């Protein structure tokens, strides 16, 4: 990320938030569309590939040049079988290059892939349905958030995974409101954004979040990662 400014279709933006992106998507039309969305917002798409093998090769080459991207945006299903090549490549990249964020796109909620992606690290991960790409500002914000080490989970993914988790005893101590707050945390929302969504004060949200951490056994020593650890506890329970 470099300092300065850049001007695109959305106007001038601070390039301190600019991120370098590699896109892995076998549909040329969608790949070009994603590239346009990101570059118009001042971000840099350094490569676009059409399958998992090409993604691994590209990242390896960029690593050799000391030019790793900040984030990879990858389709879950890519050639040759259009099953799980994309997410397998994403998991492999997260293990080999934990500093590179990974945001996967899927046509449908696929619980196994979401949990597999989340299982190896608590930073720089996202899982969105492709329909969310139409919500341009939210999609681009999600790319930046993942690039900066945050999380971005689609509300539909969260709803499905948390629906399963509600049956687990580890979460029995959470109130309905605390579950709702945790679900919004899992979508990558800040406390202020949660407060606006629930139409409550920031202080009320902070209290709920503190109670969630306490009930899930996450101490202050866990630092900034407590939010992600709370979500992972929910998903992996």
């Amino acid at each position: 990320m470099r300092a300065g400014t850049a001007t695109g279709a959305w106007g001038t933006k601070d390039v301190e938030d600019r991120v370098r992106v590699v896109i892995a998507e076998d549909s040329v039309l969608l790949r070009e569309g994603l590239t346009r969305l990101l570059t118009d917002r001042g971000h840099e798409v350094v490569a676009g590939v059409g399958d998992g093998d090409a993604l691994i090769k590209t990242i390896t080459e960029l690593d050799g040049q000391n030019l790793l991207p900040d984030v990879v945006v990858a389709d879950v299903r890519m050639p040759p079988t259009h099953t799980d090549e994309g997410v397998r490549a994403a998991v492999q990249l997260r293990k080999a290059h934990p500093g590179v964020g990974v945001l996967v796109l899927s046509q449908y909620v696929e619980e196994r892939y979401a949990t597999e992606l989340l299982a190896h690290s608590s930073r720089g991960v996202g899982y969105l349905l492709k329909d969310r790409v139409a919500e341009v500002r939210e999609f681009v914000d999600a790319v930046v958030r993942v690039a900066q080490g945050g999380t971005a989970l689609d509300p539909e993914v969260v709803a499905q995974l948390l629906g399963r988790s509600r049956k687990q005893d580890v979460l029995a101590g959470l109130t309905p409101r605390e579950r709702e707050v945790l679900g919004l945390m899992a979508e990558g929302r800040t406390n202020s954004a949660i407060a606006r969504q629930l139409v409550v004060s920031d202080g009320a949200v902070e209290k709920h979040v503190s109670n969630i951490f306490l009930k899930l056994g996450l101490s202050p020593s866990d630092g900034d990662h407590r939010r992600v650890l709370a979500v992972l506890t929910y998903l992996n329970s």
Side-chain angles (χ1 to χ4, degrees):
M1 303 180 192
R2 297 186 287 269
T5 60
T7 302
W10 291 79
T12 301
K13 75 181 260 77
D14 292 332
V15 186
E16 63 184 19
D17 292 329
R18 180 179 181 178
V19 298
R20 301 178 71 253
V21 188
V22 169
I23 298 174
E25 166 59 57
D26 63 296
S27 167
V28 175
L29 183 61
L30 181 53
R31 188 166 70 237
E32 292 301 317
L34 293 174
T35 298
R36 179 64 184 271
L37 290 180
L38 292 166
T39 55
D40 278 356
R41 293 295 297 272
H43 302 295
E44 180 184 4
V45 176
V46 297
V49 299
D51 60 71
D53 289 341
L55 174 58
I56 296 297
K57 180 181 179 181
T58 296
I59 295 300
T60 300
E61 292 174 349
L62 289 172
D63 186 27
Q65 301 170 43
N66 198 28
L67 293 173
L68 280 174
D70 299 304
V71 60
V72 169
V73 177
D75 190 358
V76 166
R77 298 172 181 265
M78 288 195 291
T81 68
H82 292 279
T83 54
D84 63 352
E85 284 86 355
V87 75
R88 284 195 287 108
V91 170
Q92 182 177 337
L93 287 176
R94 281 175 61 73
K95 291 178 180 178
H97 306 285
V100 177
V102 173
L103 174 62
V104 299
L105 303 177
S106 179
Q107 193 70 39
Y108 309 102
V109 178
E110 301 183 80
E111 182 177 321
R112 177 171 64 87
Y113 297 153
T115 53
E116 182 178 4
L117 191 67
L118 287 161
H120 300 286
S121 174
S122 61
R123 289 181 56 83
V125 62
Y127 188 115
L128 296 180
L129 294 182
K130 287 187 175 180
D131 288 348
R132 304 297 174 188
V133 175
E135 301 169 10
V136 177
R137 191 175 301 276
E138 290 190 16
F139 167 69
V140 177
D141 287 348
V143 172
V144 174
R145 187 160 63 247
V146 171
Q148 295 175 341
T151 58
L153 299 182
D154 193 283
E156 292 298 325
V157 175
V158 172
Q160 181 164 317
L161 295 177
L162 299 192
R164 177 198 63 186
S165 297
R166 287 192 179 96
K167 302 175 182 178
Q168 307 300 323
D169 291 340
V170 70
L171 305 174
L174 297 183
T175 66
R177 176 63 92 179
E178 287 164 356
R179 291 176 184 273
E180 191 172 12
V181 168
L182 184 51
L184 293 170
M185 288 168 59
E187 294 173 21
R189 298 176 188 261
T190 64
N191 285 3
S192 294
I194 293 172
R196 290 193 297 272
Q197 177 74 17
L198 299 180
V199 194
V200 298
S201 68
D202 287 1
V205 173
E206 290 173 4
K207 182 176 180 180
H208 288 311
V209 172
S210 295
N211 287 340
I212 290 168
F213 292 157
L214 179 64
K215 292 178 180 180
L216 295 183
L218 299 173
S219 68
S221 63
D222 292 315
D224 294 337
H225 299 316
R226 285 194 297 174
R227 293 180 77 86
V228 177
L229 291 173
V231 173
L232 291 176
T233 299
Y234 226 150
L235 300 182
N236 293 327
S237 62

